[in-house]
Amino acid sequence: MAAVTLRRVKKNYGPTTVVHGVDLEINAGEFVVILGPSGCGKSTLLRMIAGLEAITDGEIAIGEKIVNTLEPRERGCAMVFQNYALYPHMTVAENIGYALKVAGMGKAERTARIKAVGDMLGLTEFLERKPMQLSGGQRQRVAMGRAMIREPDVFLYDEPLSNLDARLRVAMRVEIRRLHQRLGTTSLFVTHDQVEAMTLADRIVVMNKGIIEQVGTPDEVYHRPASTYVAGFVGSPGLNLLHATVDKAALCIRFKDGQSIALDQEQAASLSDGPVVFGFRAEQTQVVEQGGLKIASSFNEALGSSRLLHGLLADEEAVISIPGDQPFNVTSSINVTIPSKAMHFFDPESGRRIG
């Protein structure tokens, strides 16, 4: 295993900059997920680490070695692609062991390594099958086996689960996490799916338009988002974000429709009078008969274990969550309270977290 270090890494395509001077330190043995929407630069960043894309500026180090000018095969990385990229005319065993064959390893040793990897991934009974005879999840395991057999310093995963159905994605997330616990190899995993990021990562790197918005553990990213972008992107649903005004003298936040919510002394100390973006999680509210904030309800989503209630607060969209078995009748309005510890505040101009 090896650490991966990015220093001011930049990527241009002609006059267009797609990665803007990224700095990132990934520790040896760590599982890091790069999370962001399509077009944010996350796959480009991964391909630059692998050597499949040339960097425009900056440095990439794997272990103690600067790898900017090294060929992909010299970097000690193994990559698992979104589309599996298996050879259709080869058996599972031949696909897994192909890199060792090209490297000139003897047949007996190669066969032993293939068997060991096949056993680890539950592919033993499929070793003589062709890829077309396998399910999507089995093909993905073959692609992982082909990467594993090289015993790389770094695993690179480029949205490997996006072609699988929902149930299979859950199963493969478990497989990937167990594999990492067993091997301990440094791993970078690119995805646009925040559930994959939250369940797999030791740390999450949230990207937006070629820059890093936040780096932190899943708990840090979820409970203390560094910006309104992270707040809205991470979570299902994302953080409710409402425009309001701070009134420190009255120790409250006032909304455009005249409603207000009280602040404690510690919160007030970190805020300034004037505009603020106020945020709260749907599941951290409590429905009450009277008082609190009034939300004009419009519709609800039944999700089994919970129910999402959608509505308007001061003419802005808001979502709250209640237990799925809690009796509920759609009315014209809902009253909710929000605990102080569940409140988030952001600068309306920069979008950065306050406090």
Side-chain angles (χ1 to χ4, degrees):
M1 70 182 76
V4 178
T5 305
L6 283 68
R7 304 183 186 97
R8 304 174 305 281
V9 171
K10 186 177 180 181
K11 178 64 179 179
N12 294 347
Y13 290 111
T16 304
T17 302
V18 295
V19 176
H20 300 262
V22 164
D23 290 290
L24 181 63
E25 183 77 37
I26 298 159
N27 301 319
E30 193 173 23
F31 197 116
V32 170
V33 174
I34 303 174
L35 174 67
S38 297
C40 73
K42 58 188 185 298
S43 289
T44 300
L45 198 64
L46 198 75
R47 291 172 65 84
M48 287 192 289
I49 294 170
L52 302 177
E53 293 272 4
I55 70 172
T56 302
D57 197 12
E59 279 186 352
I60 298 176
I62 298 177
E64 300 298 320
K65 186 189 302 182
I66 304 297
V67 299
N68 289 20
T69 59
L70 295 185
E71 293 293 323
R73 65 178 181 274
E74 300 172 311
R75 298 192 179 201
C77 299
M79 195 160 180
V80 180
F81 296 91
Q82 178 179 348
N83 62 357
Y84 316 138
L86 302 178
Y87 295 109
H89 63 287
M90 293 183 181
T91 65
V92 168
E94 289 168 338
N95 267 284
I96 292 174
Y98 183 70
L100 302 185
K101 183 178 181 180
V102 170
M105 180 179 288
K107 185 175 181 179
E109 185 180 355
R110 192 167 72 243
T111 300
R113 291 269 293 275
I114 291 169
K115 183 179 184 305
V117 169
D119 289 345
M120 191 178 297
L121 292 174
L123 292 170
T124 304
E125 62 183 292
F126 307 113
L127 290 177
E128 298 308 314
R129 294 190 188 181
K130 300 286 182 64
M132 65 179 297
Q133 298 172 298
L134 304 177
S135 69
Q138 290 162 349
R139 292 181 196 180
Q140 194 57 271
R141 278 185 280 165
V142 175
M144 290 167 59
R146 185 178 54 191
M148 286 170 52
I149 203 165
R150 296 175 53 194
E151 298 181 350
D153 294 323
V154 180
F155 276 125
L156 304 174
Y157 298 90
D158 189 9
E159 302 205 49
L161 309 184
S162 60
N163 288 338
L164 305 180
D165 62 56
R167 185 173 181 179
L168 197 49
R169 281 202 301 271
V170 173
M172 288 304 300
R173 287 205 307 264
V174 174
E175 292 282 351
I176 290 171
R177 192 61 200 180
R178 283 176 177 164
L179 179 65
H180 180 258
Q181 290 174 339
R182 193 180 305 130
L183 301 178
T185 306
T186 307
S187 300
L188 279 80
F189 188 105
V190 160
T191 184
H192 63 271
D193 187 326
Q194 48 101 9
V195 175
E196 289 178 13
M198 294 292 290
T199 54
L200 285 171
D202 294 325
R203 284 191 300 154
I204 298 173
V205 178
V206 184
M207 287 194 69
N208 176 31
K209 297 180 180 178
I211 65 169
I212 292 177
E213 290 273 348
Q214 184 173 1
V215 181
T217 66
D219 279 349
E220 289 168 348
V221 171
Y222 187 81
H223 293 294
R224 290 189 59 81
S227 66
T228 52
Y229 175 82
V230 177
F233 191 77
V234 176
S236 183
L239 204 75
N240 290 294
L241 296 170
L242 306 170
H243 291 83
T245 303
V246 177
D247 185 341
K248 295 187 71 168
L251 280 180
C252 72
I253 295 279
R254 298 191 188 279
F255 298 94
K256 291 181 291 184
D257 62 353
Q259 296 191 77
S260 64
I261 190 167
L263 298 172
D264 60 32
Q265 293 285 355
E266 185 179 350
Q267 289 170 326
S270 67
L271 299 171
S272 301
D273 282 317
V276 72
V277 175
F278 173 72
F280 62 94
R281 290 279 177 202
E283 68 274 17
Q284 293 179 312
T285 59
Q286 183 177 358
V287 178
V288 293
E289 292 293 329
Q290 293 182 334
L293 296 175
K294 183 173 290 187
I295 299 175
S297 65
S298 53
F299 68 96
N300 71 93
E301 296 177 273
L303 303 176
S305 62
S306 64
R307 185 186 300 272
L308 297 180
L309 310 181
H310 295 254
L312 292 176
L313 171 55
D315 295 324
E316 295 189 89
E317 293 284 344
V319 185
I320 65 170
S321 176
I322 64 173
D325 58 357
Q326 179 175 323
F328 172 75
N329 292 316
V330 176
T331 61
S332 59
S333 64
I334 304 159
N335 291 67
V336 299
T337 57
I338 304 167
S340 294
K341 64 180 182 180
M343 298 179 187
H344 304 260
F345 306 96
F346 302 91
D347 184 281
E349 293 185 7
S350 67
R352 304 304 295 179
R353 183 181 188 85
I354 300 172

